[in-house]
Amino acid sequence: MKIERYDMIVVGAGPAGLSAAIEAAKQGLKTIVFDENERPGGQLFKQIHKFFGSKEHKAKVRGFKIGEELLEEAHRYGVEVILNATVIGLYPQKEVTVKIGEELRHYKGDAVLVATGASENMVNFEGWTLPGVIGAGAAQTMMNLHHIKPGKKVLMLGSGNVGLVVSFQLMQAGCEVVALADAAPRVGGYGVHAAKVARCGVPFYLSHTIVKAEGTDHVTGVVIGQVGADWNIIPGTEKHFDVDTICLAVGLSPMAQLLKQAEVQMADTKGGYVPVCTKDGATSVPGIYAAGDVSGIEEASSAMIEGRMSGAAIACYLGYMSEGEKNARMKELEAQLDTLRQGMFAPKNRGKLVEKTDEGIAVSMNLLENGFVADDEIERYPGVTHQKGIHPVIECTQNIPCNPCQDACPKGCIRIGKNITSLPAVEGKKECVGCGMCVASCSGQAIFLVKEDVEPGFGEVTLPYEFLPVPEVGERGLALGRDGREVCSCEVTKVSKAPAFDYTNLLTIKVPNEMLMTARFYKKA
Amino acid sequence: MMERIANHPILGETPKREKITFIYDGKEYEGYKGEPIATALKANGVMTHRYTARTHEPRGVFCAIGRCTDCVMIVDGKPNIRTCITPLEQGMVIETQYGVTAQQ
């Protein structure tokens, strides 16, 4: 039996695995990556939204572009990526068995990194096995990879970032999202993600869960109901929706089976069954490492940094990098990871209700309970100012790690400061030229340009628009409020498209002056 | 029938692909070469991929990434094929799976 040897074997060609392989290959390690899928990139190629973070985290770049960049980098450094290759065995001696086609092949790594990611959780309810009940990941796979609508009318269960982002993507694909429900009393994901879904008119039902899926051969409807303090449905609160698809976004669980098989010390935590590992991903078995979601669920941005850390650690473990070089690199990467783990959504705040921002401003309860900031709450944030001429209105109301808007403004109107989780503030003294770069750069689509009195009694609102068809100048339609309700009729006065906007079109609508702080979305009449 | 996405606000126009035919439960249908069998079936309105052995309940696509095995069917005579990750080929014969066999 032939056994092929590599310095480093990586299981999983997602953001963590590829990043680790690149980092190690840069130091000269002979590296191979196995992935069971037909395409590399893990879930990155399904992520069509702009990522958060700062420049070093590839903020405002869409997920699939980050995937392309990673792959290109992997090839440049000579990383071998083997697809359709399922790793079915990992032994403490770092032997790896891989099923490729109908054949089993054997590999030996001096070090092995497991970056197998996570799988979606499910919930049980009457009818949950019916065709038409799908995972949120399945919806993304269908619409963003295979170019088919997952359903015509969809109910989303789960208000974490996955549920929110996929709801928006469903609408971008042309599906109707009839409602978003979550058994939790408050929205779990970023407020800006919720707000862009809510302003399209999707009602949020917090403290609600699915009672049953209706249909005999496939889903034809769904009933949701309000959950009481005992987590049972309160009788009489049931609501029916006609849907053909129910999408479940109820969390992820690490896929750590291979690590357990390799006799790595495991821990049963709130976040799932995970390997016990050091900061750089070293497990209890020397030479076996873990990075990304397999060692605890986070975002792709942090998975990429964790991967780089493990790659450097392995390079040092195998003598390709000195202890000093490794420590210097680690320090750099740790600082990057640390900035992502700050703010309201920091791991230490999970499950806690944060009532005030770092700046001491009350968090919008309406945002947490209904998905949008109420008109009487929005004025208290530092990105919201009233000025005579055109100026940005930044409806970014939670401390999340993100700062592209600050660099996007050529005039220095937007200030976040060194701490990237600070709320962006609009500087009144600097002159906005209305270029719209901030609007397009905001991954949360939370920036609008407002200009009073373009003609007597009327002003203009410029908003990010990522839907088809793109409205035409002169078209008349309806302006929707943050809650997705119609607030007034309006006219499209400008449509800006530019390569620098990266497919975020800027739509300018003319509304009465008194609606400038209310109108936040456009709907064709 | 589930609509295919011809044009997407972020991903642009769907690339042109080769149209092919396949047989599903004895009838001929059209799909695109190389797309998952499940996608071609969905585009043709097929939701139920199999029925469970004991309680005869319908099952279809759930995870779409080859993990849950809910979408398995009989493909070219072979049962338990994960249709969500198996590429469609010209002339493939796809059958609804009952338990682990075709309908008797």
Side-chain angles (χ1 to χ4, degrees):
Chain A
M1 186 182 69
K2 189 182 156 206
I3 296 185
E4 284 182 68
R5 192 210 140 264
Y6 282 83
D7 291 331
M8 175 183 174
I9 294 175
V10 179
V11 189
L18 284 178
S19 302
I22 293 165
E23 187 77 19
K26 270 185 188 171
Q27 300 302 326
L29 277 77
K30 192 182 167 204
T31 304
I32 192 167
V33 184
F34 296 110
D35 196 292
E36 64 179 345
N37 297 293
E38 195 189 0
R39 300 183 210 198
Q43 306 310 306
L44 275 177
F45 283 94
K46 302 165 195 177
Q47 309 306 327
I48 60 168
H49 59 283
K50 294 176 178 175
F51 274 38
F52 291 80
S54 63
K55 233 186 247 161
E56 70 213 26
H57 311 114
K58 298 187 187 290
K60 82 172 180 165
V61 180
R62 297 185 190 273
F64 67 98
K65 286 277 173 211
I66 297 176
E68 284 167 11
E69 287 174 25
L70 273 181
L71 271 183
E72 190 276 318
E73 209 183 347
H75 289 144
R76 190 156 21 105
Y77 289 103
V79 173
E80 275 181 70
V81 180
I82 312 293
L83 301 170
N84 296 311
T86 310
V87 173
I88 61 164
L90 172 61
Y91 301 89
Q93 298 75 17
K94 285 161 285 183
E95 192 186 318
V96 176
T97 30
V98 190
K99 187 167 181 271
I100 300 172
E102 294 303 311
E103 224 179 284
L104 263 194
R105 295 205 212 161
H106 299 259
Y107 295 83
K108 172 79 177 70
D110 290 353
V112 176
L113 172 76
V114 177
T116 41
S119 62
E120 293 187 279
N121 297 340
M122 295 158 221
V123 282
N124 292 14
F125 46 84
E126 189 185 326
W128 77 288
T129 57
L130 274 176
V133 179
I134 60 172
Q140 279 193 314
T141 306
M142 291 176 194
M143 60 192 173
N144 299 340
L145 279 189
H146 303 310
H147 315 284
I148 190 160
K149 289 184 188 179
K152 291 186 179 101
K153 294 178 118 185
V154 187
L155 177 118
M156 177 66 71
L157 183 71
S159 70
N161 276 336
V162 174
L164 298 171
V165 165
V166 175
S167 293
F168 192 74
Q169 291 178 2
L170 280 161
M171 292 188 280
Q172 290 181 304
C175 313
E176 184 187 342
V177 179
V178 300
L180 192 147
D182 196 318
R186 290 177 292 272
V187 168
Y190 289 174
V192 285
H193 278 319
K196 67 186 195 192
V197 173
R199 79 172 75 110
C200 294
V202 177
F204 281 53
Y205 291 93
L206 276 299
S207 298
H208 277 71
T209 195
I210 296 176
V211 178
K212 63 173 175 181
E214 298 170 331
T216 46
D217 250 14
H218 56 86
V219 173
T220 55
V222 63
V223 175
I224 63 170
Q226 194 182 338
V227 292
D230 58 356
W231 292 98
N232 287 322
I233 303 288
I234 302 170
T237 62
E238 295 88 352
K239 286 173 197 72
H240 162 91
F241 296 91
D242 284 333
V243 294
D244 55 24
T245 303
I246 297 169
C247 211
L248 305 180
V250 290
L252 301 164
S253 294
M255 287 202 293
Q257 296 91 333
L258 281 175
L259 289 159
K260 183 167 190 322
Q261 190 186 4
E263 295 170 17
V264 157
Q265 193 193 336
M266 304 290 289
D268 215 346
T269 68
K270 256 192 191 167
Y273 195 55
V274 292
V276 176
C277 41
T278 60
K279 270 191 293 199
D280 56 17
T283 68
S284 62
V285 176
I288 296 186
Y289 291 73
D293 276 356
V294 71
S295 56
I297 307 298
E298 270 185 273
E299 306 283 330
S301 315
S302 26
M304 287 187 276
I305 304 171
E306 280 182 24
R308 301 242 173 212
M309 290 169 84
S310 295
I314 289 171
C316 178
Y317 171 74
L318 297 179
Y320 284 80
M321 218 178 177
S322 73
E323 198 71 35
E325 285 169 326
K326 181 195 102 169
N327 289 341
R329 181 69 175 134
M330 239 20 127
K331 217 175 142 189
E332 195 178 25
L333 292 166
E334 268 175 44
Q336 286 182 18
L337 194 56
D338 193 52
T339 56
L340 285 181
R341 289 179 174 164
Q342 300 300 314
M344 285 178 186
F345 294 84
K348 66 174 180 350
N349 286 335
R350 246 171 232 170
K352 284 189 202 155
L353 169 62
V354 179
E355 292 181 79
K356 276 199 159 51
T357 70
D358 293 348
E359 293 80 3
I361 304 167
V363 170
S364 160
M365 283 302 137
N366 210 55
L367 179 64
L368 298 181
E369 287 161 13
N370 298 303
F372 58 90
V373 180
D375 291 352
D376 61 357
E377 293 171 321
I378 198 69
E379 299 283 346
R380 61 187 186 228
Y381 299 98
V384 180
T385 62
H386 292 265
Q387 296 173 36
K388 264 279 152 244
I390 192 163
H391 63 281
V393 170
I394 308 183
E395 306 196 347
C396 183
T397 66
Q398 293 174 322
N399 300 112
I400 56 173
C402 192
N403 73 351
C405 57
Q406 175 171 251
D407 296 332
C409 181
K411 295 288 174 185
C413 300
I414 301 169
R415 184 175 43 83
I416 289 179
K418 255 177 89 183
N419 190 351
I420 72 165
T421 50
S422 299
L423 295 183
V426 171
E427 306 255 31
K429 287 182 194 111
K430 304 277 169 75
E431 197 189 347
C432 170
V433 289
C435 68
M437 285 307 293
C438 58
V439 180
S441 78
C442 177
S443 308
Q445 300 193 11
I447 306 186
F448 306 85
L449 295 179
V450 168
K451 188 181 183 185
E452 264 183 57
D453 289 321
V454 289
E455 62 185 64
F458 286 86
E460 284 178 338
V461 179
T462 299
L463 48 94
Y465 195 84
E466 291 190 351
F467 296 94
L468 289 178
V470 179
E472 284 177 26
V473 173
E475 191 179 299
R476 291 202 66 87
L478 296 164
L480 307 187
R482 296 182 185 88
D483 56 1
R485 299 215 177 111
E486 297 164 11
V487 292
C488 58
S489 68
C490 65
E491 183 191 336
V492 176
T493 52
K494 196 177 171 194
V495 179
S496 311
K497 300 177 190 182
F501 297 163
D502 187 16
Y503 294 93
T504 306
N505 295 318
L506 307 193
L507 198 66
T508 303
I509 54 173
K510 190 171 76 183
V511 296
N513 275 335
E514 61 272 21
M515 290 301 164
L516 288 172
M517 283 308 291
T518 312
R520 289 296 176 263
F521 196 63
Y522 173 80
K523 189 173 137 190
K524 209 177 162 133
Chain B
M1 304 286 267
M2 196 47 68
E3 214 181 309
R4 291 182 183 272
I5 303 165
N7 202 359
H8 188 281
I10 309 302
L11 299 169
E13 275 181 39
T14 298
K16 288 261 174 295
R17 293 165 292 172
E18 187 189 334
K19 230 177 216 176
I20 55 170
T21 57
F22 64 96
I23 309 291
Y24 159 68
D25 281 352
K27 271 202 213 151
E28 193 177 86
Y29 292 86
E30 276 186 347
Y32 291 112
K33 186 183 160 110
E35 71 177 349
I37 293 170
T39 306
L41 290 173
K42 195 172 174 67
N44 285 291
V46 178
M47 295 288 286
T48 303
H49 288 214
R50 67 182 180 101
Y51 289 90
T52 58
R54 268 174 292 174
T55 51
H56 307 286
E57 288 173 43
R59 292 285 193 274
V61 174
F62 179 74
C63 80
I65 52 169
R67 187 142 290 281
C68 75
T69 68
D70 240 12
C71 70
V72 299
M73 298 177 86
I74 300 168
V75 177
D76 290 336
K78 206 172 158 190
N80 293 331
I81 299 296
R82 293 175 292 174
T83 55
C84 69
I85 55 162
T86 305
L88 183 70
E89 286 164 30
Q90 167 62 39
M92 259 184 173
V93 178
I94 297 149
E95 294 167 89
T96 304
Q97 187 168 313
Y98 295 81
V100 291
T101 59
Q103 196 161 29
Q104 302 301 315

mmCIF file of all heavy atoms in Angstrom, chain A residues 452-470:
data_model
loop_
_atom_site.group_PDB
_atom_site.id
_atom_site.type_symbol
_atom_site.label_atom_id
_atom_site.label_comp_id
_atom_site.label_asym_id
_atom_site.label_seq_id
_atom_site.Cartn_x
_atom_site.Cartn_y
_atom_site.Cartn_z
ATOM 1 N N GLU A 452 -32.109 68.387 1.766
ATOM 2 C CA GLU A 452 -33.366 69.124 1.887
ATOM 3 C C GLU A 452 -33.555 70.085 0.714
ATOM 4 O O GLU A 452 -32.566 70.513 0.100
ATOM 5 C CB GLU A 452 -33.327 69.975 3.158
ATOM 6 C CG GLU A 452 -33.977 69.327 4.358
ATOM 7 C CD GLU A 452 -33.952 70.263 5.552
ATOM 8 O OE1 GLU A 452 -34.472 71.379 5.431
ATOM 9 O OE2 GLU A 452 -33.397 69.852 6.580
ATOM 10 N N ASP A 453 -34.794 70.450 0.472
ATOM 11 C CA ASP A 453 -35.113 71.570 -0.429
ATOM 12 C C ASP A 453 -34.457 71.530 -1.800
ATOM 13 O O ASP A 453 -33.870 72.510 -2.244
ATOM 14 C CB ASP A 453 -34.741 72.913 0.251
ATOM 15 C CG ASP A 453 -35.695 73.233 1.387
ATOM 16 O OD1 ASP A 453 -36.909 72.978 1.232
ATOM 17 O OD2 ASP A 453 -35.214 73.703 2.427
ATOM 18 N N VAL A 454 -34.523 70.399 -2.475
ATOM 19 C CA VAL A 454 -34.033 70.403 -3.859
ATOM 20 C C VAL A 454 -34.988 71.228 -4.724
ATOM 21 O O VAL A 454 -34.624 71.760 -5.761
ATOM 22 C CB VAL A 454 -33.855 68.984 -4.449
ATOM 23 C CG1 VAL A 454 -32.680 68.285 -3.813
ATOM 24 C CG2 VAL A 454 -35.114 68.153 -4.330
ATOM 25 N N GLU A 455 -36.227 71.283 -4.276
ATOM 26 C CA GLU A 455 -37.203 72.217 -4.838
ATOM 27 C C GLU A 455 -38.148 72.552 -3.695
ATOM 28 O O GLU A 455 -38.161 71.839 -2.689
ATOM 29 C CB GLU A 455 -37.918 71.621 -6.051
ATOM 30 C CG GLU A 455 -38.720 70.379 -5.754
ATOM 31 C CD GLU A 455 -39.315 69.770 -7.018
ATOM 32 O OE1 GLU A 455 -38.544 69.335 -7.903
ATOM 33 O OE2 GLU A 455 -40.548 69.723 -7.097
ATOM 34 N N PRO A 456 -38.917 73.602 -3.808
ATOM 35 C CA PRO A 456 -39.704 74.017 -2.635
ATOM 36 C C PRO A 456 -40.527 72.871 -2.042
ATOM 37 O O PRO A 456 -41.324 72.250 -2.734
ATOM 38 C CB PRO A 456 -40.607 75.130 -3.192
ATOM 39 C CG PRO A 456 -39.846 75.673 -4.362
ATOM 40 C CD PRO A 456 -39.096 74.507 -4.943
ATOM 41 N N GLY A 457 -40.265 72.575 -0.782
ATOM 42 C CA GLY A 457 -41.037 71.556 -0.071
ATOM 43 C C GLY A 457 -40.563 70.126 -0.271
ATOM 44 O O GLY A 457 -41.018 69.214 0.408
ATOM 45 N N PHE A 458 -39.627 69.919 -1.201
ATOM 46 C CA PHE A 458 -39.189 68.550 -1.485
ATOM 47 C C PHE A 458 -37.681 68.373 -1.330
ATOM 48 O O PHE A 458 -36.902 69.275 -1.624
ATOM 49 C CB PHE A 458 -39.570 68.141 -2.913
ATOM 50 C CG PHE A 458 -41.043 67.856 -3.069
ATOM 51 C CD1 PHE A 458 -41.938 68.895 -3.344
ATOM 52 C CD2 PHE A 458 -41.534 66.570 -2.921
ATOM 53 C CE1 PHE A 458 -43.294 68.639 -3.468
ATOM 54 C CE2 PHE A 458 -42.890 66.307 -3.051
ATOM 55 C CZ PHE A 458 -43.777 67.346 -3.325
ATOM 56 N N GLY A 459 -37.298 67.218 -0.885
ATOM 57 C CA GLY A 459 -35.885 66.894 -0.763
ATOM 58 C C GLY A 459 -35.602 65.529 -1.374
ATOM 59 O O GLY A 459 -36.506 64.882 -1.924
ATOM 60 N N GLU A 460 -34.342 65.099 -1.263
ATOM 61 C CA GLU A 460 -33.962 63.811 -1.855
ATOM 62 C C GLU A 460 -33.308 62.889 -0.828
ATOM 63 O O GLU A 460 -32.546 63.325 0.015
ATOM 64 C CB GLU A 460 -32.982 64.039 -3.013
ATOM 65 C CG GLU A 460 -33.664 64.540 -4.274
ATOM 66 C CD GLU A 460 -32.685 64.803 -5.411
ATOM 67 O OE1 GLU A 460 -31.489 65.006 -5.144
ATOM 68 O OE2 GLU A 460 -33.144 64.805 -6.567
ATOM 69 N N VAL A 461 -33.598 61.604 -0.982
ATOM 70 C CA VAL A 461 -32.949 60.559 -0.187
ATOM 71 C C VAL A 461 -32.258 59.623 -1.167
ATOM 72 O O VAL A 461 -32.869 59.182 -2.144
ATOM 73 C CB VAL A 461 -33.977 59.749 0.648
ATOM 74 C CG1 VAL A 461 -33.278 58.651 1.434
ATOM 75 C CG2 VAL A 461 -34.767 60.655 1.581
ATOM 76 N N THR A 462 -30.972 59.349 -0.922
ATOM 77 C CA THR A 462 -30.247 58.374 -1.748
ATOM 78 C C THR A 462 -30.046 57.119 -0.909
ATOM 79 O O THR A 462 -29.565 57.195 0.223
ATOM 80 C CB THR A 462 -28.893 58.952 -2.193
ATOM 81 O OG1 THR A 462 -29.151 60.123 -2.970
ATOM 82 C CG2 THR A 462 -28.114 57.953 -3.037
ATOM 83 N N LEU A 463 -30.442 55.985 -1.471
ATOM 84 C CA LEU A 463 -30.378 54.745 -0.701
ATOM 85 C C LEU A 463 -29.702 53.630 -1.495
ATOM 86 O O LEU A 463 -29.688 53.647 -2.723
ATOM 87 C CB LEU A 463 -31.789 54.337 -0.258
ATOM 88 C CG LEU A 463 -32.915 54.330 -1.294
ATOM 89 C CD1 LEU A 463 -33.087 52.949 -1.898
ATOM 90 C CD2 LEU A 463 -34.219 54.748 -0.622
ATOM 91 N N PRO A 464 -29.114 52.653 -0.767
ATOM 92 C CA PRO A 464 -28.500 51.514 -1.466
ATOM 93 C C PRO A 464 -29.594 50.597 -2.007
ATOM 94 O O PRO A 464 -30.596 50.360 -1.330
ATOM 95 C CB PRO A 464 -27.692 50.823 -0.369
ATOM 96 C CG PRO A 464 -28.368 51.189 0.912
ATOM 97 C CD PRO A 464 -29.006 52.532 0.701
ATOM 98 N N TYR A 465 -29.400 50.104 -3.225
ATOM 99 C CA TYR A 465 -30.442 49.270 -3.840
ATOM 100 C C TYR A 465 -29.797 48.097 -4.563
ATOM 101 O O TYR A 465 -29.105 48.280 -5.545
ATOM 102 C CB TYR A 465 -31.266 50.128 -4.805
ATOM 103 C CG TYR A 465 -32.576 49.500 -5.221
ATOM 104 C CD1 TYR A 465 -33.705 49.623 -4.420
ATOM 105 C CD2 TYR A 465 -32.684 48.778 -6.399
ATOM 106 C CE1 TYR A 465 -34.911 49.044 -4.786
ATOM 107 C CE2 TYR A 465 -33.891 48.192 -6.777
ATOM 108 C CZ TYR A 465 -35.005 48.332 -5.961
ATOM 109 O OH TYR A 465 -36.187 47.755 -6.332
ATOM 110 N N GLU A 466 -30.039 46.893 -4.067
ATOM 111 C CA GLU A 466 -29.418 45.693 -4.648
ATOM 112 C C GLU A 466 -30.464 44.706 -5.164
ATOM 113 O O GLU A 466 -30.410 43.512 -4.872
ATOM 114 C CB GLU A 466 -28.532 44.999 -3.602
ATOM 115 C CG GLU A 466 -27.282 45.775 -3.234
ATOM 116 C CD GLU A 466 -26.304 44.961 -2.382
ATOM 117 O OE1 GLU A 466 -26.664 43.856 -1.935
ATOM 118 O OE2 GLU A 466 -25.191 45.448 -2.176
ATOM 119 N N PHE A 467 -31.436 45.237 -5.890
ATOM 120 C CA PHE A 467 -32.485 44.361 -6.423
ATOM 121 C C PHE A 467 -32.661 44.601 -7.915
ATOM 122 O O PHE A 467 -32.207 45.618 -8.444
ATOM 123 C CB PHE A 467 -33.819 44.634 -5.706
ATOM 124 C CG PHE A 467 -33.790 44.320 -4.245
ATOM 125 C CD1 PHE A 467 -33.497 45.297 -3.308
ATOM 126 C CD2 PHE A 467 -34.040 43.034 -3.794
ATOM 127 C CE1 PHE A 467 -33.447 45.000 -1.958
ATOM 128 C CE2 PHE A 467 -33.994 42.726 -2.443
ATOM 129 C CZ PHE A 467 -33.702 43.712 -1.527
ATOM 130 N N LEU A 468 -33.336 43.670 -8.559
ATOM 131 C CA LEU A 468 -33.704 43.834 -9.964
ATOM 132 C C LEU A 468 -35.226 43.844 -10.054
ATOM 133 O O LEU A 468 -35.880 43.182 -9.264
ATOM 134 C CB LEU A 468 -33.146 42.665 -10.793
ATOM 135 C CG LEU A 468 -31.625 42.649 -11.000
ATOM 136 C CD1 LEU A 468 -31.224 41.411 -11.798
ATOM 137 C CD2 LEU A 468 -31.147 43.911 -11.692
ATOM 138 N N PRO A 469 -35.820 44.533 -11.011
ATOM 139 C CA PRO A 469 -35.144 45.423 -11.945
ATOM 140 C C PRO A 469 -34.709 46.724 -11.259
ATOM 141 O O PRO A 469 -35.334 47.144 -10.286
ATOM 142 C CB PRO A 469 -36.232 45.702 -12.987
ATOM 143 C CG PRO A 469 -37.522 45.555 -12.246
ATOM 144 C CD PRO A 469 -37.271 44.498 -11.211
ATOM 145 N N VAL A 470 -33.653 47.323 -11.796
ATOM 146 C CA VAL A 470 -33.214 48.609 -11.271
ATOM 147 C C VAL A 470 -34.205 49.663 -11.776
ATOM 148 O O VAL A 470 -34.464 49.744 -12.970
ATOM 149 C CB VAL A 470 -31.783 48.931 -11.765
ATOM 150 C CG1 VAL A 470 -31.328 50.282 -11.229
ATOM 151 C CG2 VAL A 470 -30.815 47.833 -11.337
#
